[in-house]
Amino acid sequence: MALLDIRNLTVKIKTSEGILTIVDKVSLTINPGKILALAGASGSGKSLVMQAIMMLRRDNVIYSADRFKLDDKDLLKLSSHQRRKIIGENISFIMQEPKRSLDPSLKIKTQIYEVMPKIKWYRFFTRIKNLIKNTKRQTAIALLHRSGIKDHSRILNSYPSQLSDVECQKVMIAMAVASEPKILLLDEPIVNLEIASRFQVLKLLDKYSKNDETSIIIISNDIASIYNFADEFAFMYAGQIVERGTREQIFKNPRHPYTASLIRSMMEMNNPDNAKKFIPVLTGKHPDYKHMPIGCRFGARCRYAKRRCNNMPEITMGKNSQYRCHFPLPDGALYSDD
Ligand code: SF4
């Protein structure tokens, strides 16, 4: 049974020019301890999907979904207050740019103490011994150690501006896991980090996923870095998931031309000699949400487009993937020039 099961999530934004549908019928599931990567160009709606999962309140945003189940609880049948409570207890969200997410006016120790969970009565007796031993400071140190920070004294007594980007990211992760969430959402956690630091952060997240069975949904455009990290990938384009599947399936035989173009870019980056062999990287622009095409949203940039693509393709369920394309690429197309 999926830990999180969302069907047909739609996010609309009220603008001065009318209501725009930015996220269009996105369906997502994730199982305990699994890592799902949400990839795609900037502006494709990935961050809004995360915000919708958290049901973050914004006056100009309208969320709707046909199904929203968390740990088999149907959140759509609950009041918005109950819904937010369950989400808050089970999901932690780390937004982009950790340095800006931390309060610059407070030392790290104050910020970590604030997110430590309150003790529930039924945990009281089992935790009382630990509580005697573990002061808040000791718990904070343990959290930092688990997040790969050894010099905890310096970190705890620093302000965010005194820390490096990777230290801030590790602090954010320590704070996010303090409440033992079942699901961790991360929006571009490795952007702006050096290669070695990216690896450290991903390794840390992988450890939490494996040891604590924490499910992770990560947004990243850096598919070369997260390739070995995620179990599943979902690619978004213009507010829709155009392909989703296991890492093995997607990177071996992508079905959607957009997915294939991103994977080719990654292959070219890893080995510039490959650049000669593969079809040119994507050209053209992402469509404007004010003037979305009626048919396939990728149509204007797709080298395989045909007349039928003027009709919106439905999602097709494959063996280890699902895709939204009338003319899916055959096996081996990634390495062919046809
Ligand atoms: S439906 Fe047509 S235009 Fe869209 S991605 Fe597939 S082939 Fe290209």
Side-chain angles (χ1 to χ4, degrees):
M1 184 187 66
L3 178 59
L4 181 69
D5 183 357
I6 296 176
R7 295 284 160 89
N8 293 333
L9 172 70
T10 297
V11 182
K12 298 184 181 195
I13 306 234
K14 295 180 208 161
T15 72
S16 54
E17 291 159 281
I19 295 178
L20 303 178
T21 302
I22 309 293
V23 173
D24 185 29
K25 295 186 181 165
V26 160
S27 296
L28 282 177
T29 53
I30 189 158
N31 291 330
K34 293 291 178 194
I35 300 174
L36 168 67
L38 210 49
S42 300
S44 56
K46 305 184 299 294
S47 297
L48 274 178
V49 169
M50 293 286 205
Q51 291 168 25
I53 293 173
M54 290 304 291
M55 297 204 174
L56 296 183
R57 254 192 264 241
R58 277 167 59 192
D59 288 345
N60 64 334
V61 178
I62 308 162
Y63 304 121
S64 64
D66 290 344
R67 182 188 294 177
F68 195 134
K69 280 189 166 185
L70 176 58
D71 214 3
D72 212 28
K73 289 189 191 77
D74 189 346
L75 301 198
L76 296 181
K77 291 191 176 150
L78 303 178
S79 68
S80 61
H81 173 73
Q82 290 170 316
R83 209 157 42 217
R84 286 200 175 88
K85 185 169 180 294
I86 289 176
I87 288 171
E89 286 171 353
N90 289 283
I91 307 180
S92 286
F93 182 25
I94 301 180
M95 296 195 204
Q96 283 185 31
E97 300 189 62
K99 210 166 229 167
R100 282 173 55 185
S101 303
L102 290 164
D103 185 334
S105 66
L106 295 176
K107 283 188 175 175
I108 296 298
K109 63 180 174 189
T110 312
Q111 302 192 50
I112 295 188
Y113 296 166
E114 276 178 3
V115 295
M116 285 183 189
K118 306 274 178 297
I119 301 145
K120 293 175 183 166
W121 68 267
Y122 55 82
R123 290 184 180 166
F124 181 78
F125 294 106
T126 54
R127 287 202 168 185
I128 190 72
K129 276 194 231 153
N130 291 338
L131 276 173
I132 293 166
K133 287 186 204 158
N134 294 328
T135 60
K136 273 185 169 181
R137 181 177 163 80
Q138 283 167 320
T139 309
I141 291 170
L143 282 167
L144 289 178
H145 275 204
R146 282 198 75 199
S147 293
I149 288 177
K150 303 270 186 308
D151 53 346
H152 52 262
S153 291
R154 176 180 66 85
I155 301 285
L156 285 172
N157 289 302
S158 297
Y159 291 96
S161 59
Q162 296 170 310
L163 304 182
S164 69
D165 286 338
V166 71
E167 285 169 338
C168 282
Q169 190 59 278
K170 287 179 178 178
V171 167
M172 287 299 295
I173 292 170
M175 289 167 63
V177 299
S179 57
E180 299 169 14
K182 291 184 175 151
I183 301 174
L184 198 50
L185 308 180
L186 299 115
D187 193 349
E188 297 283 9
I190 54 172
V191 74
N192 299 332
L193 296 184
E194 292 170 1
I195 290 183
S197 303
R198 282 183 224 162
F199 181 70
Q200 280 179 36
V201 168
L202 292 176
K203 205 169 150 200
L204 172 64
L205 293 169
D206 190 55
K207 194 176 79 180
Y208 278 115
S209 163
K210 295 217 163 50
N211 294 351
D212 300 1
E213 284 242 305
T214 309
S215 304
I216 293 177
I217 304 180
I218 179 173
I219 288 181
S220 181
N221 285 333
D222 184 359
I223 55 173
S225 295
I226 58 170
Y227 166 69
N228 280 316
F229 167 70
D231 302 296
E232 280 192 272
F233 282 78
F235 286 84
M236 282 192 76
Y237 187 80
Q240 297 177 326
I241 289 184
V242 293
E243 183 158 11
R244 180 186 171 169
T246 60
R247 176 179 57 216
E248 293 74 20
Q249 170 63 33
I250 292 261
F251 284 86
K252 191 172 172 206
N253 287 311
R255 300 299 178 207
H256 197 283
Y258 177 61
T259 318
S261 70
L262 293 185
I263 295 173
R264 283 189 186 116
S265 304
M266 178 188 98
M267 293 160 88
E268 288 174 16
M269 267 195 324
N270 288 349
N271 182 359
D273 287 345
N274 285 338
K276 297 184 207 95
K277 294 185 205 153
F278 302 126
I279 297 164
V281 183
L282 202 54
T283 55
K285 285 199 307 193
H286 188 279
D288 184 337
Y289 284 101
K290 284 186 284 218
H291 309 287
M292 272 296 160
I294 300 166
C296 174
R297 294 184 173 182
F298 189 59
R301 307 173 80 181
C302 181
R303 66 197 301 270
Y304 306 100
K306 298 184 178 63
R307 181 176 297 192
R308 190 169 153 207
C309 304
N310 290 328
N311 298 317
M312 175 72 79
E314 296 298 327
I315 293 189
T316 303
M317 305 297 288
K319 196 172 169 208
N320 291 312
S321 70
Q322 36 190 280
Y323 48 85
R324 193 186 272 276
C325 179
H326 290 304
F327 303 101
L329 299 173
D331 285 359
L334 198 56
Y335 300 95
S336 119
D337 212 8
D338 296 332

